[in-house]
Amino acid sequence: FQKIFNRLPLPAMEKGAKRQRQPQESCVPVTILTGFLGSGKTTLLNHILSSPDHGMRFAIIENEFGEVGVDEKVIKETSEEQLIEVLNGCICCTVRGDLSKALKRLRAKTSGFDGVIIETTGLADPAPVAQTFFVDEELRRYYKLDGIITVVDAKHVLEHLHEEKPEGVENECVEQVAFADRILLNKCDLVDEETIEKVYKAIRGINSNADIIRTQHSQVEPSKLINIEAFSLDKALEMDPEFLNTESEHQHDLTVSSASIRFEGELNHQQLRMWLSELQQNTAKDLFRYKGVLAVKGMPEKFVFQGVHMLFNGSFDPRFRWSRTEVRECRLVFIGRNLDKKALEKGVMDCKVGVLRFKVGDAVEANCEEWIQGTIINLWDEGNPYRIRLHNGEECFGPVDTDEFVRKSAAGSGIAWQPISHGPWWEQPGASSGKPW
């Protein structure tokens, strides 16, 4: 978990029946933010935290499934007045008791704050999290559950909702929709209206009461999510009579796991993106989520990326710059089914920056649709190992320090040019950049 304090705008409170036994003014409202992997929860949280329209202050409890925190790096640098506490694992089972402890520690500080937002991991069932606020007497005195907000990925949700699980294993995506008080149908720009209608129908088949808000990039007015007094214990018990049974157990799909990689040092992000492209081509269906914050050689900004199945987005964000006193490191997390953790670690570490083969002034040949002779004129230029001035007067980058891209000059002799067998990222469907030369 991470407890992050931030000043936020004060939304107008929607009227609604008070469903808590404790007096409203004595309880801090809590919002549970849930949704399957890659749906846009952290993007929504950052949107709420950065909203300039009001003046609320929240304590944020951030939960990540992997052993290495990535989202906390992003949230920490876009928020102010922070107090961070990190604890990784599944909030609905393995670290559920730690949620109660964190909330109790937090109580002494919540007097200066207007609410608590809990962002669960994408593999969490929100019901046990919500149950916490009704079965613990101390928490009942100081907190009230305001609402469960579920973010839904319009492009991928149907395959997760319809996925057949082994007997006794719950479908977390279904549970997240079922217990929602508000549903954000996100990424609507990535699908057509026919798909959206299918998603609406599937959601309404599970939850006929929750308001559905269509969004892109998780952009929504915070007042539609905060202080809505939407959670009803009666409805929760009607849907699940065992809701308050602390002895009931739920089982996750044991084929789904995470692989976390963290090390001090720098990566060649061009090489990493090529490797990720291969990974997508071979394992996209089972690759639910992958994300990272990277130190890239030669770049002052951090490279922040995230992906869901075949979709990938990454950039150097000017908001996230390496300070002079900060240790340059890389953090990556992969979540999916039947992950080959050793292969993932090797693929990442193969992209770690090492000693370059050439220096400024060396004569080389560059693979620019044909082998063209040139001279190295700069090292680690815009994140590329080499900038090369070709003999025809043009310049190009050598994005990876291998013979597939840059080789020792042979005065016109040597093996013939060959297409790059791995299918580089800039040639993949949907790539946002052209060739790196």
Side-chain angles (χ1 to χ4, degrees):
F1 300 104
Q2 292 126 65
K3 296 184 290 186
I4 304 173
F5 303 112
N6 197 298
R7 183 172 299 279
L8 295 174
L10 179 61
M13 181 179 291
E14 299 181 13
K15 301 298 182 182
K18 298 181 179 179
R19 297 178 173 86
Q20 307 294 323
R21 297 180 180 179
Q22 299 298 325
Q24 294 287 93
E25 61 272 15
S26 66
C27 297
V28 176
V30 177
T31 299
I32 296 175
L33 177 57
T34 189
F36 202 71
L37 298 162
S39 59
K41 298 184 298 298
T42 302
T43 302
L44 173 62
L45 182 56
N46 277 319
H47 169 63
I48 295 174
L49 295 180
S50 62
S51 175
D53 300 329
H54 52 75
M56 288 187 74
R57 302 178 73 199
F58 288 101
I60 309 298
I61 297 181
E62 173 74 21
N63 175 222
E64 294 201 56
F65 184 73
E67 296 176 358
V68 173
V70 171
D71 292 338
E72 58 110 349
K73 291 286 289 183
V74 176
I75 295 173
K76 180 178 179 180
E77 296 189 30
T78 56
S79 304
E80 299 177 353
E81 303 179 40
Q82 302 156 23
L83 176 63
I84 308 296
E85 179 180 324
V86 180
L87 183 62
N88 300 80
C90 183
I91 196 173
C92 67
C93 46
T94 57
V95 296
R96 183 176 168 193
D98 295 287
L99 171 61
S100 295
K101 295 176 183 177
L103 286 164
K104 291 172 184 178
R105 288 194 299 268
L106 184 60
R107 184 178 67 80
K109 299 178 174 60
T110 54
S111 59
F113 298 91
D114 303 297
V116 176
I117 301 177
I118 301 173
E119 181 189 355
T120 75
T121 172
L123 292 174
D125 178 353
V129 183
Q131 181 195 75
T132 302
F133 296 93
F134 296 93
V135 299
D136 188 308
E137 283 298 325
E138 183 177 349
L139 294 182
R140 288 183 63 189
R141 288 198 301 271
Y142 298 108
Y143 297 98
K144 66 183 180 70
L145 183 55
D146 185 66
I148 298 176
I149 311 300
T150 297
V151 186
V152 169
D153 178 348
K155 184 173 179 63
H156 298 108
V157 68
L158 290 177
E159 63 183 278
H160 294 303
L161 288 176
H162 297 153
E163 182 181 358
E164 293 186 8
K165 296 283 189 177
E167 184 177 355
V169 175
E170 68 177 20
N171 185 319
E172 296 91 353
C173 190
V174 171
E175 297 297 314
Q176 291 161 0
V177 171
F179 278 91
D181 297 306
R182 294 281 190 279
I183 295 175
L184 267 63
L185 184 55
N186 196 31
K187 305 186 183 180
C188 290
D189 53 319
L190 301 182
V191 295
D192 54 28
E193 284 297 323
E194 181 180 356
T195 300
I196 290 178
E197 286 302 316
K198 291 180 180 178
V199 173
Y200 260 91
K201 184 177 180 180
I203 290 174
R204 284 300 179 219
I206 300 169
N207 186 331
S208 60
N209 297 316
D211 293 336
I212 301 177
I213 304 171
R214 290 175 58 162
T215 63
Q216 298 179 20
H217 308 292
S218 299
Q219 299 295 297
V220 63
E221 172 56 46
S223 63
K224 295 181 179 180
L225 310 177
I226 306 298
N227 281 345
I228 56 178
E229 296 189 355
F231 184 82
S232 168
L233 179 58
D234 292 338
K235 288 182 180 179
L237 288 169
E238 181 180 343
M239 181 170 51
D240 180 9
E242 298 296 312
F243 175 73
L244 295 179
N245 181 7
T246 58
E247 300 301 321
S248 62
E249 297 182 357
H250 62 281
Q251 182 178 340
H252 291 292
D253 187 345
L254 297 181
T255 66
V256 177
S257 63
S258 69
S260 302
I261 303 164
R262 178 180 182 179
F263 62 89
E264 292 184 11
E266 299 168 309
L267 282 178
N268 180 336
H269 81 291
Q270 304 281 34
Q271 188 174 355
L272 179 74
R273 291 171 73 162
M274 295 176 196
W275 173 73
L276 285 175
S277 177
E278 291 182 351
L279 191 66
Q280 288 174 321
Q281 296 294 330
N282 297 327
T283 65
K285 183 178 180 180
D286 292 331
L287 194 59
F288 298 158
R289 186 76 164 123
Y290 45 106
K291 53 189 175 180
V293 177
L294 311 178
V296 174
K297 183 72 172 180
M299 298 298 291
E301 299 90 6
K302 299 175 182 180
F303 187 80
V304 181
F305 78 88
Q306 59 177 328
V308 181
H309 296 295
M310 284 294 292
L311 298 180
F312 173 90
N313 180 46
S315 65
F316 292 100
D317 194 320
R319 296 175 300 170
F320 310 133
R321 297 178 64 90
W322 294 99
S323 69
R324 292 183 178 180
T325 59
E326 191 174 6
V327 176
R328 291 175 70 94
E329 65 170 9
C330 297
R331 299 185 182 196
L332 305 92
V333 174
F334 300 85
I335 304 175
R337 180 179 289 107
N338 298 319
L339 295 181
D340 186 338
K341 297 183 180 182
K342 290 185 178 180
L344 290 172
E345 183 174 0
K346 182 180 185 303
V348 170
M349 298 309 292
D350 283 347
C351 302
K352 187 176 180 180
V353 168
V355 178
L356 295 179
R357 296 175 299 152
F358 303 112
K359 62 182 184 298
V360 173
D362 283 352
V364 296
E365 293 180 348
N367 189 344
C368 302
E369 299 185 351
E370 61 178 329
W371 288 106
I372 301 177
Q373 295 185 39
T375 303
I376 303 292
I377 60 172
N378 200 14
L379 305 179
W380 293 114
D381 195 316
E382 297 184 23
N384 297 276
Y386 303 114
R387 179 186 284 269
I388 304 167
R389 179 171 292 124
L390 304 175
H391 285 189
N392 60 13
E394 297 181 355
E395 293 183 359
C396 72
F397 288 124
V400 182
D401 187 24
T402 68
D403 279 342
E404 290 180 290
F405 294 90
V406 182
R407 69 185 188 187
K408 184 178 180 180
S409 179
S413 63
I415 63 172
W417 173 84
Q418 300 179 40
I420 300 172
S421 59
H422 55 57
W425 60 268
W426 58 82
E427 294 179 0
Q428 297 302 321
S432 58
S433 303
K435 295 175 181 176
W437 46 72

